[in-house]
């Protein structure tokens, strides 16, 4: 549904003379990153955008990558720039993120966009995964106002922006937010009082049904590849939530794969459309 909405917006912008353009930069040949990048390119093309991927060798220097980013910043046909993480060890990710022009930072990682999110200004870009979680909650009719929302994980790309979004004083937010992390004492005591439990710890199936309040809404952000001898490739993808036990207790739960992953890509496309729209003004 969101993809159809994005495709309509892209068609509208195209008739106004702007084809939204997303350029993804992939450094190195990490298999998981390559899969994510091709998914993003495919999705942007199928929405009618001009999607390009710049592939650079794993030995690329930081200076060379920054030069590519500068070129993209200056290219008026590129509205969104995404540098796929993780980067090889010779490159500092924060330096790269700070070089992306905030108006083209469709990942929402630039400190200016993170600051706008925290302050509650809506003219920045919000990190795609937490934005996708809000979209899922809204479209499922989940009431966030006054709800106890417990987030597991405090990363800059998921946990922190998720907390910032849910604590804002506006509709589709207004929750009472608790952020748990690797140093939290008695995790279950927090998860068991969550009306909305959002798990982004990167620990396969760590949240089991007995840790969930009956009727809670459970959003599983985790994406873990674990061994599975029953599968042809010897592995399977799973979330941070033990689905079989959690589904018996939760009122709603997102699956992995599915759920948050596709929503993240949809938000990336939405951010790129916004960036293109803003280039008209
Ligand atoms: P991260 O490793 O940067 O952060 C993990 C966080 O979890 C940390 O803040 C840590 O304190 C916390 N944590 C770890 N173990 C814990 C424990 N036992 N108890 C409580 N807290 C604990 O990870 P990230 O980048 O935020 O990603 C988290 C997960 O979400 C990963 O599985 C990742 O693959 C997935 N992810 C999915 C998408 C998507 O589009 N679906 C996007 C981003 C991340």
């Amino acid at each position: 549904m969101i993809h159809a909405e994005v495709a309509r917006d892209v068609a509208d912008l195209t008739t106004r003379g702007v084809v939204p353009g997303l350029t993804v930069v992939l450094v190195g040949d990490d298999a998981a990153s390559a899969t994510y990048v091709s998914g993003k390119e495919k999705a942007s093309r199928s929405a009618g955008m001009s999607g390009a991927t710049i592939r650079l060798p794993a030995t690329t220097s930081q200076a060379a990558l920054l030069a590519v980013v500068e070129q993209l910043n200056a290219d008026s046909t590129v509205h969104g720039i995404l540098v796929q993480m993780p980067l090889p060890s010779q490159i500092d990710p924060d330096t790269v993120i700070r070089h992306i022009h905030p108006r083209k930072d469709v990942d929402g990682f630039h400190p200016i966009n993170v600051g706008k999110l925290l302050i509650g200004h809506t003219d920045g870009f919000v990190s795609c995964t937490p934005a996708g979680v809000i979209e899922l909650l809204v479209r499922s009719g989940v009431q966030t106002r006054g709800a106890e929302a417990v987030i597991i994980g405090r990363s800059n790309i998921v946990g922190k922006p998720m907390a910032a979004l849910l604590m804002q004083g506006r509709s589709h937010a207004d929750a009472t937010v608790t952020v748990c992390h690797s140093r939290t004492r008695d995790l279950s005591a927090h998860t068991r009082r969550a009306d909305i439990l959002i798990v982004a710890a990167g620990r396969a199936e760590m949240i089991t049904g007995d840790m969930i309040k009956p009727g809670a809404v459970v959003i599983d952000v985790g994406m873990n590849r674990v061994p599975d001898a029953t599968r042809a490739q010897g592995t399977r993808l799973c979330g941070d939530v033990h689905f079989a036990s959690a589904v018996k207790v939760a009122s709603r739960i997102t699956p992995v794969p599915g759920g948050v992953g596709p929503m993240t890509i949809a938000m990336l496309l939405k951010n790129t459309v916004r960036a293109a729209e803003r280039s008209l003004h």
Side-chain angles (χ1 to χ4, degrees):
M1 194 162 100
I2 295 192
H3 283 281
E5 289 168 21
V6 170
R8 195 193 54 217
D9 291 344
V10 171
D12 177 48
L13 275 166
T14 305
T15 59
R16 290 155 69 193
V18 181
V19 181
L22 172 68
T23 296
V24 179
V25 183
L26 175 63
V27 186
D29 40 26
D30 178 71
S33 293
T35 309
Y36 296 146
V37 163
S38 70
K40 289 166 185 172
E41 189 177 2
K42 229 187 269 170
S44 58
R45 289 256 173 87
S46 79
M49 297 184 184
S50 65
T53 302
I54 298 175
R55 291 182 168 78
L56 301 172
T59 52
T60 302
S61 68
Q62 178 166 301
L65 176 57
L66 295 181
V68 169
V69 169
E70 298 288 354
Q71 262 173 23
L72 296 172
N73 280 341
D75 184 339
S76 62
T77 66
V78 175
H79 305 101
I81 303 169
L82 184 157
V83 178
Q84 183 66 40
M85 304 288 164
L87 290 166
S89 58
Q90 73 276 15
I91 301 174
D92 172 39
D94 289 335
T95 303
V96 176
I97 289 167
R98 282 165 190 261
H99 264 75
I100 297 171
H101 195 291
R103 289 172 72 99
K104 297 193 178 190
D105 168 41
V106 286
D107 246 345
F109 294 167
H110 191 287
I112 289 197
N113 285 319
V114 177
K116 284 183 174 179
L117 164 64
L118 196 59
I119 293 166
H121 292 181
T122 52
D123 63 337
F125 291 110
V126 176
S127 177
C128 301
T129 300
V133 171
I134 296 288
E135 198 77 26
L136 275 170
L137 293 172
V138 170
R139 287 178 189 246
S140 315
V142 175
Q143 179 63 262
T144 55
R145 177 157 290 159
E148 290 287 339
V150 174
I151 300 163
I152 306 183
R154 57 177 164 189
S155 71
N156 288 337
I157 65 165
V158 188
K160 284 182 196 163
M162 191 73 252
L165 277 170
L166 281 169
M167 74 169 76
Q168 297 301 321
R170 58 170 173 250
S171 59
H172 311 317
D174 267 338
T176 303
V177 179
T178 303
V179 180
C180 301
H181 47 77
S182 51
R183 302 292 172 137
T184 296
R185 270 187 282 135
D186 197 358
L187 188 66
S188 303
H190 295 285
T191 60
R192 281 198 197 108
R193 48 174 196 77
D195 302 312
I196 300 170
L197 178 62
I198 300 170
V199 194
R203 300 274 179 271
E205 298 175 335
M206 69 178 279
I207 300 297
T208 45
D210 58 312
M211 298 170 76
I212 297 169
K213 176 177 166 178
V217 172
V218 178
I219 308 278
D220 190 356
V221 179
M223 208 134 62
N224 312 286
R225 193 159 279 288
V226 295
D228 185 343
T230 67
R231 302 290 172 98
Q233 71 269 46
T235 61
R236 72 182 161 92
L237 263 186
C238 72
D240 289 352
V241 177
H242 183 265
F243 191 86
S245 59
V247 76
K248 293 183 184 144
V249 188
S251 62
R252 288 158 184 265
I253 180 167
T254 60
V256 177
V260 175
M263 208 51 150
T264 296
I265 294 191
M267 292 301 107
L268 175 66
L269 301 186
K270 262 188 119 167
N271 278 350
T272 306
V273 166
R274 273 189 66 213
E277 246 162 26
R278 286 171 57 179
S279 75
L280 286 170
H281 307 303

